[in-house]
Structure formats: structure tokens, C-alpha cells
Amino acid sequence: MPSEIEKRKADHISLAAEGDVGFRRTTTLFECVRLVHEALPDLHADRIDTTLELFGKRLRAPIFIAAMTGGTEQAHSINRELASIAEERGYGFGLGSQRPMYVDPSKTPSFCVRDVAPSALVLGNIGMVQARSMCSDEVQKLADVVGADALCVHLNPAMEIIQPGGDRDFEEGEVTLARLVRDLSVPIVVKETGCGISARTARRLRAVGVRHVDVSGAGGTSWVAIETERASGKVRALGEALREWGIPTAASVAQVASVGMETVIATGGITSGLDIAKAIALGAHAAGIARPVLKALLSGGRKAAESFLESVEAELRAAMLLVGAKDLDALRKAPKVVVGELSAWIEHSS
């Protein structure tokens, strides 16, 4: 008999791949970023350098196959296939929440990908609420068992208050994060789950020692919408009211970058190489793609997922050439024009 966590994780995969769970009105606001064309780039297109060093690993491109799943047989298959692609293409790979393997160690194999991704940059994942109740050694073990190079600690209050049986107590977050930064041997990456991180929150994170953030902003998959689909009654109504809640990804990247974090990862509605180029121009160091890769894999298999990622990388390289950026540092400094709503978000970043 499947456990409640197994049922939830299976629902998440199905809804993420096939459900109407995107933001309906909210966008990432990357459409408000205009990269300035350089008609005289003085570069060779084939010599554009997209590599970067992150958490002790060298990536071929600033791309993560972002955290999605774990804890079921289907999740096991998905994780291994996507981790293998990340290994082959030189990307980072993020595991979904490792809570299932902490609750039930028999679920551990669904998170173990090192045999197919021995050298890839792998990010572990646990919720702040779960980590709060665990001793530091237990959290460290989660990272060690899967061979994680860094551990994401995710924040998801909007998702949890809609989730049937979800958490309601989000106290002691700063204390928990400070402890983990102090005690763990791997870097801590604080990430949201689709609602973004503000400059104010980033400053609080920095004050307790956090130096790495994954914004996971609004505009892509709405995890509030996913949990709304699983809810009923008054909770479902609350989910509908909060479906558009969050800071658009581009706005979150710009706000967090202004705080001076060592690493800023842009996830949340990233669907193209142009999105990644704009995110980096706003101050991100890398970007994560989740739902589009999952949909490609489930609809067309490995070849479809690889083809999608090839197009993403080709777009990124083209954008770099067309702004005259020989490498990612140059892209981060590339001229840009910010218009519309995004300009207001950046202006009011306190």
C-alpha cells in the first residue's frame, strides 16, 4: 500500500507533466529585459565560453536540471535518466526533497544517482521545516548518502498551507539555517519553491551566513496550483486565491543579486537559453530548468530531453555572441534595458 508521501510525490509528477498548474497571469518578467544588440561582437561563435566553476565542480554551461522528484519507482527512473543527461552534458542536477528517504530509508535508492552521474554537480534537498527537527548529523547524512556537492534547504510556506496535511509551523527558520551553515561540511543553498526570494529575505539569509540562493520565482509551475488540484473545500478555495502569489523570477534574481550573494541560481519558469542569458545579465550565475525537461522526457524519452537542452544551450550561446560576451562574466556585465513591471520591482527592492 503506497504511503501518503508516495501518493503525493506520484501526484506531483503527474500534475507537473500534464496538469494545468502554471501561473495564469503572472509571468517571469524576463520579457521586460532587453539585451542590447552588438553588431560588431569581434568574437568567433564557436569560441564562446559558457563554462563556470560552482561548488568545486566545473560545468560546461550554467544550466541545472532542477529539483523535481524522488521517493517512488517512477521518480527513481526520472532521476537516473536526468542525472545521466546532466553528467553527459556537463550540467548540474538537483534532487527533489529527500524527506521520503528520511522518513522511510527504503526510498533511498530513488535518490541515488552517483553511479550514472559520477562527476556531475549534484544538489541534495531537504525542507527547512524538516531540517529544523533533525540534528545536524542527520542532515549531513542526507547529503553524504547521495554524494551531494551542496545541499538545498527549501522554503515553501505557500505550498505547505495549501497542501493537504501540510506544515503550518515555520518558526525558527533563521536559527535552523545558521546551524546548518555552521555545522555541515557541504555548502547550503537556500531555495524557494516557486514564489521567489526578496531582497529583504536575502539580507536576512546573508546575516545568518547563507551565501548561496536559488530564487525559484513565480511565472513557471505554480506549486500552489499543484497542491490546489489535490485539495478540497475551503483549502482549495484558498489555493485558488493564492495561485498567482509570488515574486516573478526575473525580479527575484535582480533583488537577490543586489544583496551580494556568492551564488544566485535562477529557477522558476526558465524555458529557453534567452531566459538564461537574461537571468545572468540580471546577476544570476546559473539557471535551473525543471518542467520543460520533465515534459520532454516523459513525452519523447531521452532523445527529446537532450534535443530540448541542446536548443537551450544554442540559444544561450547565440545571445552571448549577439551582445558581444565572450564568457559568462562578460554576459553579467552586458548592456541591458529593463522596462515595465520589472523596473518597478527592481526600484522597490527594499
Side-chain angles (χ1 to χ4, degrees), residues 29 32-33 199 247 250-256 258 281-282 336-350:
L29 294 186
C32 294
V33 181
I247 303 168
S252 188
V253 167
Q255 290 203 11
V256 171
S258 73
L282 287 170
K336 61 185 178 296
V337 177
V338 176
V339 302
E341 185 182 341
L342 180 57
S343 179
W345 275 100
I346 293 173
E347 181 181 350
H348 299 285
S349 61
S350 60

Side-chain angles (χ1 to χ4, degrees), residues 275-329:
D275 285 345
I276 295 175
K278 291 177 179 182
I280 292 173
L282 287 170
H285 298 86
I289 305 178
R291 193 183 190 197
V293 182
L294 175 65
K295 292 180 73 171
L297 179 71
L298 294 182
S299 64
R302 184 186 182 99
K303 286 188 177 180
E306 290 175 332
S307 177
F308 168 75
L309 289 165
E310 284 172 8
S311 68
V312 168
E313 202 171 330
E315 286 182 16
L316 172 62
R317 289 177 175 276
M320 291 176 68
L321 173 73
L322 296 175
V323 298
K326 66 178 182 178
D327 56 26
L328 297 177
D329 284 340

